[in-house]
Each structure stands twice: as C-alpha cells, then as structure tokens.
Amino acid sequence: MLVYLNGDFLPHTEARVSVDDRGFLFADGVYEVIRVYGGRPYLLQEHLDRMAGGIRALEIPFDGFDRLRDVAFRLMEENGVDDEGNIYIQVTRGAAPRKHAFPPADTPPTVYVSVKPARRHPDAYYEEGVDAITTPDTRWARCDIKSIALLPNVLANQKAHAAGAFEALFIRDGIVLEGSHSNVMAVVDGTLVTYPTCNYILAGITRDRILALAARLGVPIREGAIPVDRLHDVDELFLTGTTTEVMPVVRVDGRPVGSGKPGVVTRRLMEAYRAEIGR
Ligand code: PDD
C-alpha cells in the first residue's frame, strides 16, 4: 500500500514522521476522511474546502489543495481502489523544537495522504438500526474545526463501544449536539430537526447533503435544538457522516426511540442517499 508523505509516494511501512512533529506533540493539525464509491471520490472538493477553512483558522501556512486532489487520484490508482475506499488526509504545522507558539514561518507543514479499500458498515446496521449512548460534551469550543485532537471523541466512542452501542451523542447544556464521529438528526412530527452549524458542531459534508436531499423530497427542516430530555419522544433519530452514511438509531441509553425501528423519513433519506452514491 503506497501512501503520500511530504512530497513522496512510498510504502506505508516506510513512511516516517519526526518525533518533533507538532501533530505528535500538540495535535496541531487537521484531517479529512473522504469516501470513494465506484472508484470515484465522493464530494472531494467539499472536503478540501472545509479543510482549507480549518487550515485558515489555525493559520497553518499551507495552500497545496490542488496537489492533494492529484495525490488522492494517484493513490487510488496505485493502490487499486477502483470500487469502495477511504481517503485520509492530514496536515500538521510541521516539525520544530517543542514550543507552544508557532514555529518559524518557513517550517514546512507535514502532509500525509492514504487511500485504502474500505467496506461500508454491515447492512444490518442500516436495516435494523443501531444503539447510541449519551455522554457529556467535554470538547473545546471550536468543534467546527476538524482538528486531529480527538481525545474526547475517542473516549466517548470507546464508552459507546463498551456499552455495545455504535455511537456516543455529545450533550452540552441539555442539548444533543452531534456524535463522536457523526452528526445527528431527529424527525419530530414530520419535521427534520438538527442542530445549526456553529462552533459546537462539525459542519458535516453528509449533513449538508442530507439537508439538500430532504428539501428535494419536501421534508420540512428546522435547524434547532434537540433537548436530551425529549430524545425518547422524537419519532425518528439517525446519524449522518462520511463513513456512517445515513444510519438509523433505534435505542438511546438502552431505551427505544420512536417505534424502535428505522422510521419512514429516515428510510426515504437512506434511499435517496444510496441512489446518489450509486449503491
Ligand atoms: N467523522 N461530527 C464529527 C465530530 C465527526 O468527526 C464527523 C466525521 C462528522 C460528520 O462529518 P462528515 O459528514 O463531513 O463526515 C460529524 C469522520 C468521518 C471521522 O472522524 O472518521
């Protein structure tokens, strides 16, 4: 498996980064995960645009986005990813002696790209729905940046895993914001409800597509809060994300949500999304 690191294409086992890399020392960087369907990256430009926003916010001197696009295509070809796969891109502030403040402006960012074959989650997850748990949101107040500092997400997801659940839902001030690696949407009296994009959630690329598909299907949309104490009263609940796609949630903290089965609106959106990705 070939990967790209700082200008070179080399075997995954030979790729090395410095122990002084600010990604290693400070989690000082951003990443993207992009899905490949039918040998074609899905919404690649949208992901690169979001990454550019994160890089601007963090003031990392990097502007090689056209190159990243070419690298992704070359790796898909070299690694024979001609059907389903994942592209992973990470850019950090580069390697420099450990000091909190930024290194000299000419420090080259560390740029890493991998492309691997990857399968979707088992059909049963989509057909029967999955469990989620709730957990306090202990993250920082810039969740809109897709930072590689994922410790709260890692701990929350592990907690879900240990409970036999697929996802952990972050709760801040009594509001359900998003999952550890997905956005969350509810259906209440026929209206799709999801938290508005702001500094407390990631503006999911899939979230955006689902809102567009819902609008096309004539499903009313309200970008607003889902209070955690109303979570078990919603009619339907589902997750959206690049690797998660559209996934129904049928139980939260061990108690059924809605009918305890994937809901009608969820299934319509799952179908519309599948038609779009050609699966
Ligand atoms: N996760 N919220 C969080 C915290 C996420 O990490 C993700 C994506 C999403 C969904 O965003 P998108 O639709 O753009 O993938 C929402 C990626 C896939 C990951 O960390 O693996």
Side-chain angles (χ1 to χ4, degrees), residues 31-33 47 50 139 146 150 153 170 178-183 202-207 240-243:
Y31 77 104
E32 281 294 333
V33 181
H47 284 274
R50 179 170 67 189
R139 298 174 301 165
K146 202 161 170 55
L150 287 172
N153 308 61
F170 283 126
E178 64 175 336
S180 72
H181 68 309
S182 60
N183 290 110
L202 185 74
I205 307 294
T206 320
R207 174 190 181 282
T240 68
T242 295
T243 55

Side-chain angles (χ1 to χ4, degrees), residues 10-264:
L10 71 178
H12 175 251
T13 47
E14 287 171 23
R16 300 271 181 280
V17 289
S18 166
V19 289
D20 287 333
D21 195 276
R22 292 180 62 101
F24 180 57
L25 294 175
F26 296 115
D28 188 353
V30 291
Y31 77 104
E32 281 294 333
V33 181
I34 299 122
R35 205 78 179 79
V36 179
Y37 295 111
R40 287 212 294 272
Y42 179 58
L43 303 174
L44 176 59
Q45 194 55 48
E46 285 79 351
H47 284 274
L48 291 178
D49 289 346
R50 179 170 67 189
M51 183 170 230
I55 277 176
R56 261 197 309 278
L58 298 184
E59 298 176 44
I60 294 177
F62 174 78
D63 60 5
F65 292 100
D66 290 341
R67 174 100 178 109
L68 285 183
R69 175 176 264 284
D70 295 343
V71 165
F73 277 96
R74 164 127 182 235
L75 286 177
M76 280 195 303
E77 196 173 319
E78 297 269 5
N79 294 333
V81 179
D82 53 7
D83 189 18
E84 295 198 23
N86 285 338
I87 302 171
Y88 179 83
I89 307 177
Q90 178 170 316
V91 177
T92 78
R93 204 183 303 276
R98 188 182 183 281
K99 283 200 181 76
H100 285 66
F102 294 173
D106 59 356
T107 306
T110 300
V111 182
Y112 169 64
V113 185
S114 74
V115 181
K116 294 178 188 164
R119 294 171 61 90
R120 300 166 57 233
H121 292 293
D123 286 346
Y125 288 22
Y126 299 98
E127 283 158 16
E128 289 155 32
V130 294
D131 276 62
I133 60 163
T134 55
T135 194
D137 192 349
T138 55
R139 298 174 301 165
W140 69 334
R142 288 305 305 273
C143 302
D144 53 319
I145 299 174
K146 202 161 170 55
S147 151
I148 57 171
L150 287 172
L151 201 42
N153 308 61
V154 165
L155 295 176
N157 196 265
Q158 176 56 29
K159 193 170 153 191
H161 202 74
F166 176 81
E167 182 59 300
L169 307 178
F170 283 126
I171 312 300
R172 194 189 288 255
D173 297 332
I175 305 297
V176 186
L177 292 177
E178 64 175 336
S180 72
H181 68 309
S182 60
N183 290 110
V184 61
M185 299 192 178
V187 179
V188 182
D189 297 330
T191 297
L192 190 61
V193 185
T194 195
Y195 204 67
T197 53
C198 64
N199 57 311
Y200 287 126
I201 68 164
L202 185 74
I205 307 294
T206 320
R207 174 190 181 282
D208 217 44
R209 278 314 297 151
I210 294 305
L211 290 180
L213 290 174
R216 199 193 292 165
L217 292 173
V219 177
I221 296 164
R222 183 167 67 81
E223 292 190 64
I226 309 165
V228 66
D229 58 9
R230 303 299 307 277
L231 201 47
H232 291 90
D233 301 330
V234 305
D235 300 312
E236 303 179 28
L237 193 69
F238 63 91
L239 308 169
T240 68
T242 295
T243 55
T244 307
E245 300 181 340
V246 180
M247 189 172 292
V249 176
V250 292
R251 263 177 312 274
V252 176
D253 295 331
R255 285 169 55 205
V257 171
S259 66
K261 295 206 176 84
V264 178

